[in-house]
Amino acid sequence: MTCRIEPRTGTAFEVTKGQFLTVIDPMGEQVSDLVAFNAADLREHISSGRSIDYASRLFLTQGDLLYSNRSRPLLKIVADEVGRHDFLLSPCSKDTFRIIYGDENPHHGCQGNLETALVPYGVKPDEIPVAFNVFMNVDVNGQTGEIKVLPPRSQPGARIVFEALDDLVIGMTACSAGQSNNFKFKPIDYFVTDACPQWVSPDAPVSDTVAPASDVS
């Protein structure tokens, strides 16, 4: 069953080792902040530093692993129709909107949504790591290090599929930052399956995994 995360909201749920999480951008150009924790020990969570270090590149895609702060792989990207995601920037928050956008009454952002969604699992606010920002398009200048948040490359119906390599608690949002979503807030869809979706060819390059947007199961 496909579940929907409404605009500027978040959710949390469990997946078991060997299950597959498919994340869908139903309307295009919408980011989802994704965090993952070891269900048996919530002190272990995905780590941008470890994952980027071991992949030796900033932009992770099909075939790459999302490692934990203990250098254990928690998720594997088994299919990716977009090929550009961010693992550098932290979840947007009240301070994000205050400092970057100058908002006097800022939205609580993805940080606030993740904090609320993860309360039932006992995750405290300071324990939320840098998220894997699904579909987020961050350009990095190789000479100066300057970063720019650009509109996502995801078209309506674009998908990415993760395999759970351990029992996990997942937190996800439909990102609240206008800059990340081309200043239009839209939903994110997802579903969890016991088997890898049939359209996925695990050994195919990204360009060969694209299937019709209507085929979402």
Side-chain angles (χ1 to χ4, degrees), residues 23-83:
V23 181
I24 309 161
D25 184 351
M27 299 179 185
E29 295 190 341
Q30 175 62 42
V31 169
S32 177
D33 290 28
L34 183 152
V35 293
F37 301 82
N38 179 349
D41 184 352
L42 296 170
R43 294 172 298 178
E44 183 176 21
H45 51 71
I46 58 169
S47 167
S48 62
R50 300 292 183 193
S51 302
I52 291 170
D53 191 4
Y54 302 147
S56 297
R57 60 177 175 274
L58 293 177
F59 304 122
L60 306 186
T61 185
Q62 184 169 315
D64 285 322
L65 299 170
L66 273 57
Y67 282 88
S68 78
N69 52 316
R70 298 175 182 169
S71 295
R72 293 195 318 116
L74 298 184
L75 290 164
K76 180 179 180 180
I77 304 173
V78 297
D80 184 2
E81 294 183 336
V82 178

Side-chain angles (χ1 to χ4, degrees), residues 6 19 27 37 43 100 113 115 124 132 147 177 207 210:
E6 295 299 335
Q19 287 188 315
M27 299 179 185
F37 301 82
R43 294 172 298 178
I100 295 179
N113 285 328
E115 289 177 9
K124 297 182 174 67
F132 184 77
I147 61 173
S207 60
V210 178

Side-chain angles (χ1 to χ4, degrees), residues 30-185:
Q30 175 62 42
V31 169
S32 177
D33 290 28
L34 183 152
V35 293
F37 301 82
N38 179 349
D41 184 352
L42 296 170
R43 294 172 298 178
E44 183 176 21
H45 51 71
I46 58 169
S47 167
S48 62
R50 300 292 183 193
S51 302
I52 291 170
D53 191 4
Y54 302 147
S56 297
R57 60 177 175 274
L58 293 177
F59 304 122
L60 306 186
T61 185
Q62 184 169 315
D64 285 322
L65 299 170
L66 273 57
Y67 282 88
S68 78
N69 52 316
R70 298 175 182 169
S71 295
R72 293 195 318 116
L74 298 184
L75 290 164
K76 180 179 180 180
I77 304 173
V78 297
D80 184 2
E81 294 183 336
V82 178
R84 178 57 70 90
H85 316 275
D86 170 67
F87 212 178
L88 293 174
L89 304 186
S90 59
C92 60
S93 65
K94 285 185 176 180
D95 289 326
T96 301
F97 297 121
R98 177 179 60 84
I99 294 170
I100 295 179
Y101 297 102
D103 292 354
E104 295 183 1
N105 297 296
H107 188 272
H108 54 255
C110 288
Q111 177 71 27
N113 285 328
L114 289 170
E115 289 177 9
T116 300
L118 290 164
V119 164
Y121 296 98
V123 176
K124 297 182 174 67
D126 287 343
E127 297 170 340
I128 295 174
V130 172
F132 184 77
N133 299 308
V134 180
F135 307 130
M136 189 173 184
N137 184 11
V138 176
D139 181 72
V140 180
N141 185 308
Q143 298 298 318
T144 67
E146 180 186 6
I147 61 173
K148 292 182 180 179
V149 179
L150 304 177
R153 297 180 180 181
S154 51
Q155 299 297 311
R159 299 164 290 188
I160 184 172
V161 183
F162 302 88
E163 180 183 1
L165 304 180
D166 208 334
D167 295 341
L168 303 174
V169 172
I170 301 290
M172 285 178 53
T173 71
C175 185
S176 302
Q179 195 177 50
S180 298
N181 307 309
N182 206 12
F183 295 94
K184 295 180 181 178
F185 304 116

